[in-house]
Amino acid sequence: MKIAVFCSANKNIDPDFFTLTEEMGKWMAENGHDLVFGGCNSGLMDCIGKAVKANGGRTFPDLDIEIPCDNLSDRKDLMLAQSDIFVALPGGVGTLDEIFTIAAAHTIGYHHKMVILYNMKGFWNSTIALLDDMAEKSMIRGDWRDAIEVADNLEELKAIVENSH
């Protein structure tokens, strides 16, 4: 599968996030999953690219195929077109934008691709609580988990990816 990864480009973050990201990249490469990502050579974005590449995997667009984009909207559109599934590692405003762009398009029927929140060390707990609160207040049509799944560890992530074939 082609897995798009959204994540932080910051370097000064919890070192465990880098370890967990390297494990994910190794698993992706060993199982023939291609990486689609923003191509930044910093933070977790750099980490996932190097981990996939170091273990014999293929990456888009940074190391094997580079596709320049004019702006963030172009980049998100390209990643949506090129990917089968999306995984959000810890990140900031840009990562939230990417998650919700993909999830909103899924909700209104533009595609049926899932976003997985890789909830490393509970990073996404407050976002999950926000989504639950919005759903409780009837601000989300249907169940938000129809577009966004949560994986608390690599085993759960693997199961979601493998079940989405």
Side-chain angles (χ1 to χ4, degrees), residues 2-107:
K2 289 191 275 185
I3 302 174
V5 175
F6 304 139
C7 58
S8 175
N10 292 346
K11 295 176 185 172
N12 298 323
I13 58 176
D14 187 332
D16 290 345
F17 294 156
F18 289 95
T19 302
L20 293 165
T21 298
E22 286 171 3
E23 289 172 2
M24 179 186 162
K26 184 174 190 287
W27 164 76
M28 286 176 62
E30 289 174 350
N31 288 274
H33 300 301
D34 289 344
L35 170 66
V36 180
F37 72 123
C40 178
N41 62 348
S42 183
L44 295 180
M45 216 178 292
D46 185 48
C47 181
I48 190 72
K50 286 182 175 167
V52 169
K53 195 68 176 172
N55 288 283
R58 188 164 117 130
T59 63
F60 297 70
D62 187 51
L63 300 171
D64 289 317
I65 299 171
E66 182 176 356
I67 305 170
C69 299
D70 290 331
N71 55 53
L72 289 175
S73 293
D74 284 355
R75 185 170 88 171
K76 288 184 292 188
D77 289 345
L78 183 61
M79 290 176 78
L80 176 58
Q82 290 291 324
S83 305
D84 300 309
I85 197 165
F86 302 83
V87 177
L89 308 183
V93 172
T95 303
L96 285 172
D97 174 52
E98 291 165 325
I99 291 165
F100 290 122
T101 295
I102 301 302
H106 179 144
T107 301

